[in-house]
Amino acid sequence: MGEIDEDPERAERTRPIPVHLNTRVKFLREKVAKEETARLALAAGVSVRTTKRWVHALKAAAGGELKGDIPMAKVNVAKVEQAVRVAWQPQVRKRVRRDAEQRGFMLHIQATFGYSAAGGSTDDPRPRMITQKMPGSVARRLYEARDAGATQAQQEQILAEALLPVRASPRRPARTTLLG
């Protein structure tokens, strides 16, 4: 996940996702899968047998037989985290997206300005912070690109186009009439 994806995701949450693996699996099992191991397997992208082992480990942890997190492969840990991110606070995510698409958002970025010149000269490129209000159409394009699986570079291109100065329409020459 790139920086552009992380910022809207932070804004879309009123509470952070659970930190501990046991809590994440419990959330998926109770809220997403409604206590069904087949639905849990589908949500996490693993086999039903794997989810049965997780449920057994959760029960062992609740009974005090297991200390610490559920034993799980790193690949499955990442799958569980991704499934929790997708399912966490869906109504808040919808509200934040709707507001950004309607009202726009504030963009804070660092950019480098300057010309190619010898080091130490006044034309040497320098990093600058830019804060600019972006319209809702830019938020809509960013969300659509993110939903379509756009890369970090593609999302940066959308923001770069939005930051370009608005060019004034060419002026029409003033009408003059000659009196004869």
Side-chain angles (χ1 to χ4, degrees):
M1 191 179 308
E3 290 178 31
I4 293 176
D5 289 334
E6 291 169 0
D7 288 337
E9 196 165 310
R10 266 194 302 273
E12 292 171 348
R13 307 225 187 289
T14 56
R15 294 178 307 166
I17 68 169
V19 175
H20 299 288
L21 182 60
N22 292 2
T23 313
R24 289 177 179 179
V25 173
K26 187 176 177 183
F27 167 77
L28 286 177
R29 181 172 178 250
E30 292 174 359
K31 303 293 185 193
V32 176
K34 310 290 186 210
E35 305 286 335
E36 294 180 23
T37 53
R39 288 176 75 177
L40 177 57
L42 186 64
V46 296
S47 71
V48 175
R49 179 67 189 120
T50 300
T51 58
K52 286 181 180 179
R53 282 193 297 268
W54 294 350
V55 170
H56 179 73
L58 277 177
K59 289 178 182 176
E65 299 168 27
L66 175 68
K67 299 213 188 282
D69 283 337
I70 299 170
M72 190 181 300
K74 287 184 181 181
V75 173
N76 290 344
V77 171
K79 288 179 181 180
V80 167
E81 180 180 357
Q82 184 59 32
V84 170
R85 284 186 188 281
V86 168
W88 191 252
Q89 296 185 321
Q91 297 304 320
V92 173
R93 294 178 78 174
K94 286 179 189 174
R95 185 187 69 227
V96 168
R97 181 175 180 159
R98 183 190 65 232
D99 290 348
E101 289 177 351
Q102 288 176 354
R103 299 185 197 134
F105 64 99
M106 289 300 288
L107 176 67
H108 305 283
I109 63 168
Q110 183 176 0
T112 303
F113 295 97
Y115 302 96
S116 297
S121 75
T122 58
D123 291 337
D124 198 22
R126 292 178 179 83
R128 299 284 186 246
M129 291 301 299
I130 299 174
T131 301
Q132 184 169 337
K133 174 90 169 130
M134 290 287 153
S137 59
V138 175
R140 197 171 304 109
R141 286 180 58 202
L142 276 174
Y143 275 114
E144 288 170 359
R146 189 173 99 176
D147 292 344
T151 63
Q152 176 84 11
Q154 291 168 329
Q155 294 178 55
E156 287 173 357
Q157 182 62 37
I158 292 170
L159 290 174
E161 290 170 4
L163 283 171
L164 288 175
V166 179
R167 297 177 189 209
S169 58
R171 290 186 164 195
R172 291 185 190 169
R175 289 185 154 210
T176 56
T177 53
L178 296 175
L179 298 175

